[in-house]
Amino acid sequence: MGELADHLSVAVPERIPDHDVAALQEWGRIEADLAAGRGLESALGEQSLPESLADAVTHAIADRVRNSEGAAIAKILKAEHASSFGRLFEHILRVAPYADVITTNYDRLIEVHAARAGVRVDSMYYGHTIGRMDAALSRDELYEAHVPAGRRSRRVTVRTRPHIRLAKPHGSLDWFAHDGQYYRSDLAIPGSRQIIAPGGNKYRLGYEVPFDQQRNRANSAIDGAAALLAVGYGFNDEHLQTHLRSKFAQVPAVVVSHSLTANALDYLGSNTNAIGIEAATGGGGCRIVQGNDELVSSAVNSLQ
């Protein structure tokens, strides 16, 4: 968030017209809070931003994330083997028809990890060059004909290909709204980019299309989960965690992060069987906690 805040301090004022006094004043307040050391989420506040300022923040965030995303995508695609995420997806799908993945990030790295490993993704959008939002048609693209081996009748059945069922409740860099329709594309198509920036706007926008359907998918996945794995998640999205709070305490859970946040440790404390893994102070290993108890510190190799 620190690098993003630095980028916004430069990029946002350039996008606000000089005559838009309300937006300039509000951004001045936010910038002063950032300079004073407040986090980006806290500085943006819980109230909705003026529309012009919200648009400026959204576009500035999208530009920053897209630039960083490109280097990460190139690294995934150039690698000799599928990534750790891709291998994880393959492993899960050996014994399950699908795996639910929820991400609050706007980038497309989950989709790229899956594609590199040859794993299909259902994101509620169907089509290719320009995809339209339609949950039913997105699901239909995953059907395949299946002929059971060794049966004389050779009866053909239809089944779903193993896939990732993806939920992105904060939107995605390649989602756009245009003329009342919702599209997914890397092309420069007209329309408003569908991502929810940090701050108070996410509480309002989270209940609008297409974010509400993504949030509902995420909640349903959490409610039906037999186990939970969180990777790099800080547990800082209270508006999304109503279902997660109770479910986390009920099922096996693992939280992996470079640094476990205070909120992550709070969640771990609610389940004595939950495991948390973070980098050890000073490097050279990792720290493992179970519930509120530390099990190992600097005794195993760092996670790759």
Side-chain angles (χ1 to χ4, degrees), residues 57-129:
V57 170
T58 297
H59 283 89
I61 288 175
D63 290 343
R64 180 67 178 84
V65 174
R66 186 172 58 248
N67 289 339
S68 298
E69 176 194 65
I73 290 175
K75 184 177 180 180
I76 296 169
L77 297 180
K78 289 179 180 178
E80 183 177 355
H81 303 290
S83 66
S84 298
F85 263 119
R87 295 196 301 273
L88 175 63
F89 296 155
E90 290 178 309
H91 177 72
I92 294 172
L93 295 175
R94 288 193 184 101
V95 295
Y98 63 86
D100 280 300
V101 177
I102 305 165
T103 177
T104 57
N105 295 338
Y106 316 125
D107 60 55
R108 283 73 59 91
L109 298 186
I110 291 294
E111 293 94 313
V112 176
H113 283 297
R116 178 67 177 79
V119 173
R120 294 176 180 267
V121 176
D122 171 16
S123 63
M124 292 194 191
Y125 287 79
Y126 79 97
H128 299 282
T129 304

Side-chain angles (χ1 to χ4, degrees), residues 211-252:
F211 310 111
D212 58 343
Q213 295 184 41
Q214 297 286 327
R215 190 189 71 256
N216 289 339
R217 168 175 279 192
N219 287 339
S220 295
I222 292 169
D223 291 343
L228 297 168
L229 170 64
V231 179
Y233 184 56
F235 295 83
N236 297 321
D237 297 285
E238 287 297 332
H239 64 297
L240 297 177
Q241 294 170 187
T242 304
H243 293 241
L244 182 60
R245 168 62 74 174
S246 58
K247 192 67 176 183
F248 191 94
Q250 300 170 6
V251 300

Side-chain angles (χ1 to χ4, degrees), residues 34-297:
L34 291 174
R38 293 185 66 184
L40 178 59
E41 187 91 21
S42 177
L44 289 172
E46 296 183 359
Q47 301 299 318
S48 294
L49 301 177
E51 185 174 351
S52 58
L53 177 57
D55 288 343
V57 170
T58 297
H59 283 89
I61 288 175
D63 290 343
R64 180 67 178 84
V65 174
R66 186 172 58 248
N67 289 339
S68 298
E69 176 194 65
I73 290 175
K75 184 177 180 180
I76 296 169
L77 297 180
K78 289 179 180 178
E80 183 177 355
H81 303 290
S83 66
S84 298
F85 263 119
R87 295 196 301 273
L88 175 63
F89 296 155
E90 290 178 309
H91 177 72
I92 294 172
L93 295 175
R94 288 193 184 101
V95 295
Y98 63 86
D100 280 300
V101 177
I102 305 165
T103 177
T104 57
N105 295 338
Y106 316 125
D107 60 55
R108 283 73 59 91
L109 298 186
I110 291 294
E111 293 94 313
V112 176
H113 283 297
R116 178 67 177 79
V119 173
R120 294 176 180 267
V121 176
D122 171 16
S123 63
M124 292 194 191
Y125 287 79
Y126 79 97
H128 299 282
T129 304
I130 294 180
R132 179 175 291 182
M133 185 175 182
D134 189 308
L137 289 178
S138 177
R139 184 176 60 250
D140 289 349
E141 286 190 328
L142 299 166
Y143 290 140
E144 65 177 354
H146 174 63
V147 181
R151 292 189 178 182
R152 293 182 179 179
S153 66
R154 308 294 289 176
R155 183 176 180 181
V156 177
T157 60
V158 176
R159 68 180 183 183
T160 303
R161 294 183 176 93
H163 62 280
I164 297 301
R165 197 165 64 174
L166 183 63
K168 303 183 79 169
H170 284 170
S172 185
L173 288 180
D174 55 351
W175 293 1
F176 296 89
H178 176 66
D179 197 24
Q181 299 291 328
Y182 297 90
Y183 298 98
R184 174 194 52 75
S185 180
D186 285 326
L187 301 178
I189 63 175
S192 58
R193 194 180 296 276
Q194 296 296 285
I195 67 173
I196 298 179
N201 284 36
K202 67 186 180 183
Y203 296 96
R204 173 179 59 84
L205 293 175
Y207 288 90
E208 297 181 2
V209 179
F211 310 111
D212 58 343
Q213 295 184 41
Q214 297 286 327
R215 190 189 71 256
N216 289 339
R217 168 175 279 192
N219 287 339
S220 295
I222 292 169
D223 291 343
L228 297 168
L229 170 64
V231 179
Y233 184 56
F235 295 83
N236 297 321
D237 297 285
E238 287 297 332
H239 64 297
L240 297 177
Q241 294 170 187
T242 304
H243 293 241
L244 182 60
R245 168 62 74 174
S246 58
K247 192 67 176 183
F248 191 94
Q250 300 170 6
V251 300
V254 176
V255 180
V256 183
S257 184
H258 183 272
S259 299
L260 296 172
T261 65
N263 284 342
L265 292 171
D266 178 53
Y267 271 76
L268 288 167
S270 71
N271 186 338
T272 57
N273 294 315
I275 298 294
I277 306 173
E278 66 178 348
T281 303
C286 62
R287 175 174 175 264
I288 302 177
V289 298
Q290 182 174 7
N292 287 319
D293 300 323
E294 183 174 296
L295 298 182
V296 179
S297 181

